Amino acid sequence: MIVLAFLVQTLRIAIPYLFAAAGGVLSERAGIIALTLEGWMLTGAFTAVLGAHYSGSPWVGVLCGVAGGVLAAALHAVACIRYRGDQVVVGIAINLLAVAVTRFFLRLAFDSSSNSPRVVGFEFGTGDGGRGTGVLASLANPLVPLGVLSLVLVWWILYRTPFGLRLRAVGEKPEAAASVGVAVHRIRWIAVLGGGALAALGGTYLALEQHQFTDSMTAGRGFIALAAVIFGKWEPRRVALACLLFAAAETLQIQLQGLQLIPSQFVEMIPYVLTIVAVAGVVGRAAPPAALGKVSE
Amino acid sequence: MSLINEAIPDPAVAPLSRLSSRVGRATAALLPPLTALLIAAVVGDLLILSFGQSPAAVFKLLLEGTWGNAYGFGQVIYKATTLTFTGLAVAIGIRAGLFNIGAEGQLAMGGFCAALVGLLLPVGTPAVVAIPLCLAGAALGGASVASVPGVLKARFGASEVIVTIMLNFITLAFLNWLIATKLNVAESLHTPEINAGAVARLSSVIDAFRGSAANFVLLVALAAAGYVGWYLFRTRAGYDLRAVGLQPEAAEYGGVKVGSVWLRAMLMSGALAGLGGTNYVLGYKQYYEEGFAAGAGFLGIAVALVGRNHPAGVVVAALLFATLSQGGLAVNAVVPKQMVDVLTAVVIIAVATSVPEVQRLLRSTVRGGAK
C-alpha cells in the first residue's frame, strides 16, 4: 500500500513535468531554446482557470489553457523566428512577462493579488457517492493519461513521421534542411506552438488539481522540466525517465519529511545538480541539437 | 542576433568624417532602446486603459513618485545601485561571449557573504577596515558561485547558460537552508544584524533623502562601472576579452588562451554581481534576508542589453529600470504595480528583436546618404 501510494504520488508530481518536458523536447529538437517552459506553463494555468471559471467546465478550461500557452509561444516564435531575437534573452523576458501579466489580470479579473476563486476540476472520486476515494481516485483525471502519453507522442512524431525527420534536421542542420526544400521557419513555428500547447497542459493540470490559480503557482516546475530535457539528452524516452526520477525524489522527500533525514532544500537541488553534471560531461556528455539557439535566415 | 554591439567599421561609412561616423554609431546604439521604450509606452497605455484609468495621469503619477521628490529619487538611486552591479556583471560576460544568467544567485551569495563577514568581525571594528573586508567578502562570494560555470566552460565547454540557470536554484536553496537552520533570528528569515561594516545612507549628508534607502554603496557601483570601462577598453586583458567575445577561434589563433579568458570573465562577472548584495546588506538593512535579490539579478540582463554592454550605458539603463520599478509602487493604488513588470519585459523583448532589424534599416539609409 505504501508502495502504491508512493507510485501514485510520484506520477501526480511527474505529470506537469512530463507535459512541459514533452513541449521542451519538441521545441529544442527544432532548434529553439525552451527557457520559456515556465512562462508557457504559468500562462496556461491562468487561462485554464479563466476558462473554467467563466464556463464552469474543466474541458473549456483545458481548451483555454492550451490557447493561452499557444499565444505565449506565438510571441516567443515571432520574436525568435520572425525577428531573430536572442532566444535566451527573449525566453527570460517571456518568463518575466508571464508572471507580470498573470498578476495584472488576476487583479483585473478577480480583484485579488494572490489567487483566483475556486474553479471546477476533474473530480470523479469525491462528492458523487464516494466512488473510489482511495489513492487511485486522484488518477481519475483525463490529463493523467494524456500527460503520460505526451512524451510517447513526441517520440512517435520525432522518429516515426516524415515531419519529425524534418524537425530533427531543422534542429541539427537548418541550412542543409533548407537546401532540400524543408521550410525551416514553418517547422520551427509548429514546434514552438506545439511546445507551448504541451507545456500549457502541464500548467492546466496543476491549476485544475488545485482548483484555483495562485500567484506564480508553477514555482520553477518549468525549469525542472527543462533540466529533465537536458538530463535526458533531448531523447524523449530518457527525458520521461528523468521526469519520473525527479518526481520520485520529490515524493520521497515529502514522505520522509517527518524523519528529517535530508533537509528539503537539498532534495530540491537534485534535478539541478544532476543537470550540471550531465552538461559537464562527467558521465556521458549531454550534447544539444547542433543548431539549438542559432539564428537561421 | 549578436548580443555584442561592437561598432564594426562599415566600408561604406568609412569615407565619412570621424565625427559623423561617431554620430551614426551613437544613433545606431540608441535607436533600439528608444524604439523599445516607445513600444513599451504603447503597451503601457493599453494596460492602463484596460484598467479604466487615464494613461497620462498614471504616467504623471509615475514620474512624480520617482524623479518628482527627494524620497522617490533616493529610492530610484538605491535600486539603480544594485542594478548597476548586476548589469555590469552581465555586460562583462557578454563582452567575453558568455551569457551569465546566474547573477541572481551570485547577488544573493554576495549579500550573504558580506553579512557573514560583518557578523564575524568584532563589534567596534573601524569602518575603514570593516567595509573593505565586507566588500571583499561579497565579491568573493559572487565569484565563487560563478567559478562553477567558469571552470566547467573553460575545462569542458559546458554551456554556461544551462549551468548558471541551474546554479541559481542550487545557490538559493543552499542559502535558504543556511538561513532556516543555522543563522536566522527566531521567527524571521534573516540573519542577526552585522557587528561592523555598515555603510552610511545618503540622508546622513543630504537631509532631503531622509527615509530612502540610498546609501554610499552607490560610489562603489560607480567606481565599478569606471573600472569595467577602463579594463575593457584600456587594458590588454580587456582587449583579449573582447576579442574572445567576438571571435573565439580567431582569438585563439592570435595566441589568446580562450579558456582562461572565459574563466576570468566569469569570475569578474560573479564578483560584480556579488558586490551588488552589499547595497542591501551593508547599506540598507544591515542583515542578509532570504529573497532580498528579488529578480535584480535577472533584471541585470535587461540593464546590460539596453545599456548596450557599455558601462556608461549600463548606469543609464539601471536608472531607467529603477525608475520603472519604483514607479510601479507609486502607481499601485491606481493600476496594479505589475504593469511596470510587463513594460520591463516588453522593453527586453523589443530590444532583443529590434537590434538587427533597426540596424539593417539604419545601415541602408547611411549607405544611401553616403552615395
Side-chain angles (χ1 to χ4, degrees):
Chain A
M1 193 59 200
I2 293 171
V3 175
L4 184 66
F6 177 81
L7 291 178
V8 168
Q9 195 172 7
T10 300
L11 190 59
R12 287 178 59 192
I13 292 177
I15 293 297
Y17 298 161
L18 289 166
F19 271 125
V25 170
L26 199 63
S27 169
E28 296 223 329
R29 286 304 287 265
I32 304 292
I33 298 174
L35 257 185
T36 27
L37 289 178
E38 180 80 9
W40 295 344
M41 284 180 90
L42 190 63
T43 312
F46 183 72
T47 51
V49 164
L50 275 187
H53 177 77
Y54 289 110
S55 71
S57 151
W59 289 106
V60 175
V62 171
L63 282 180
C64 291
V66 169
V70 169
L71 203 67
L75 180 61
H76 189 58
V78 168
C80 294
I81 302 172
R82 168 69 183 82
Y83 288 105
R84 304 179 183 88
D86 183 89
Q87 295 172 13
V88 174
V89 175
V90 174
I92 288 170
I94 287 183
N95 286 339
L96 275 177
L97 191 66
V99 174
V101 165
T102 51
R103 278 185 186 159
F104 186 90
F105 285 103
L106 193 61
R107 265 197 50 190
L108 192 62
F110 304 119
D111 196 27
S112 159
S113 53
S114 58
N115 58 279
S116 75
R118 190 184 161 83
V119 296
V120 292
F122 289 105
E123 267 102 5
F124 297 96
T126 51
D128 58 317
R131 196 192 56 163
T133 44
V135 279
L136 286 173
S138 60
L139 295 183
N141 175 339
L143 288 178
V144 170
L146 265 178
V148 172
L149 285 175
S150 60
L151 269 163
V152 179
L153 176 76
V154 167
W155 172 84
W156 183 78
I157 292 172
L158 285 181
Y159 294 103
R160 290 291 181 270
T161 66
F163 174 78
L165 180 66
R166 292 191 190 114
L167 189 148
R168 285 183 287 136
V170 163
E172 296 288 341
K173 288 252 178 333
E175 292 79 14
S179 73
V180 292
V182 175
V184 173
H185 283 193
R186 190 163 71 208
I187 287 185
R188 286 189 164 173
W189 261 94
I190 295 170
V192 170
L193 295 186
L198 283 166
L201 279 171
T204 302
Y205 171 82
L206 275 178
L208 292 184
E209 267 240 319
Q210 298 178 12
H211 296 286
Q212 62 175 350
F213 178 86
T214 49
D215 178 29
S216 304
M217 71 184 300
T218 45
R221 285 185 180 82
F223 286 100
I224 295 185
L226 180 65
V229 171
I230 299 164
F231 187 63
K233 299 177 181 176
W234 293 269
E235 210 283 309
R237 282 171 298 190
R238 285 189 186 160
V239 172
L241 285 178
C243 289
L244 291 171
L245 175 70
F246 295 168
E250 231 173 284
T251 310
L252 207 58
Q253 189 265 319
I254 295 168
Q255 305 245 336
L256 298 179
Q257 211 152 30
L259 298 177
Q260 301 273 330
L261 290 176
I262 315 167
S264 64
Q265 291 91 348
F266 286 86
V267 179
E268 277 171 36
M269 292 180 195
I270 291 173
Y272 312 118
V273 172
L274 286 177
T275 303
I276 290 181
V277 169
V279 290
V282 179
V283 268
R285 186 65 171 281
L292 185 63
K294 301 231 166 69
V295 166
S296 173
E297 292 300 315
Chain B
M1 86 177 234
S2 163
L3 282 170
I4 302 167
N5 179 42
E6 266 306 318
I8 299 157
D10 189 324
V13 185
L16 294 174
S17 75
R18 196 181 156 78
L19 179 73
S20 69
S21 89
R22 268 197 134 165
V23 171
R25 241 184 317 173
T27 324
L30 285 178
L31 211 56
L34 292 180
T35 323
L37 281 181
L38 197 69
I39 295 173
V42 173
V43 173
D45 284 350
L46 292 176
L47 287 178
I48 294 166
L49 287 172
S50 82
F51 226 76
Q53 299 290 337
S54 142
V58 170
F59 280 119
K60 186 161 168 272
L61 205 61
L62 192 151
L63 274 181
E64 279 171 1
T66 51
W67 294 70
N69 65 74
Y71 166 77
F73 186 59
Q75 288 298 99
V76 170
I77 289 181
Y78 167 73
K79 292 187 173 187
T81 304
T82 308
L83 291 179
T84 299
F85 282 115
T86 55
L88 288 172
V90 176
I92 199 167
I94 292 176
R95 286 284 181 175
L98 295 173
F99 210 158
N100 180 9
I101 319 266
E104 186 81 8
Q106 293 149 14
L107 174 68
M109 182 59 93
F112 178 79
C113 290
L116 200 61
V117 174
L119 282 168
L120 292 173
L121 288 172
V123 180
T125 312
V128 275
V129 180
I131 292 172
L133 281 177
C134 288
L135 289 174
L140 221 60
S144 67
V145 174
S147 69
V148 177
V151 167
L152 293 180
K153 174 85 181 181
R155 183 84 181 71
F156 305 106
S159 157
E160 80 284 1
V161 172
I162 295 172
V163 176
T164 49
I165 290 172
M166 301 299 155
L167 209 53
N168 275 336
F169 292 102
I170 296 173
T171 311
L172 295 176
F174 176 70
L175 289 175
N176 291 352
W177 171 73
L178 273 180
I179 294 300
T181 57
K182 311 278 178 201
L183 271 168
N184 67 327
V185 173
E187 310 287 312
S188 79
L189 289 171
H190 60 77
T191 64
E193 268 194 31
I194 54 175
N195 298 325
V199 173
R201 298 216 182 161
L202 292 189
S203 56
S204 65
V205 178
I206 306 164
D207 196 54
F209 284 127
R210 186 170 297 282
S212 84
N215 61 75
F216 284 98
V217 171
L218 168 70
L219 298 181
V220 184
L222 293 176
Y227 173 76
V228 168
W230 173 79
Y231 179 84
L232 281 177
F233 303 109
R234 292 283 178 271
T235 69
R236 173 69 200 270
Y239 178 83
D240 287 352
L241 186 146
R242 287 182 293 132
V244 167
L246 285 173
Q247 251 311 334
E249 289 86 3
E252 178 99 66
Y253 188 70
V256 179
K257 287 204 183 72
V258 174
S260 61
V261 167
W262 274 338
L263 180 57
R264 199 181 317 138
M266 212 56 186
L267 291 176
M268 288 178 78
S269 177
L272 285 163
L275 279 171
T278 62
N279 188 37
Y280 181 91
V281 171
L282 303 182
Y284 177 30
K285 292 279 192 182
Q286 279 84 46
Y287 54 68
Y288 169 89
E289 185 170 27
E290 185 177 321
F292 87 89
F298 290 114
L299 216 46
I301 297 164
V303 171
L305 202 65
V306 172
R308 315 302 291 141
N309 304 316
H310 191 287
V314 163
V315 173
V316 175
L319 276 173
L320 167 73
F321 284 107
T323 304
L324 274 178
S325 162
Q326 181 63 25
L329 300 176
V331 300
N332 197 29
V334 187
V335 285
K337 63 176 186 287
Q338 281 75 32
M339 183 196 85
V340 298
D341 297 335
V342 175
L343 299 192
T344 301
V346 169
V347 169
I348 304 174
I349 297 173
V351 170
T353 53
S354 74
V355 171
E357 296 287 310
V358 171
Q359 286 189 342
R360 197 168 309 147
L361 190 79
L362 198 78
R363 210 171 301 148
S364 62
T365 44
V366 168
R367 278 216 186 96
K371 263 174 202 165

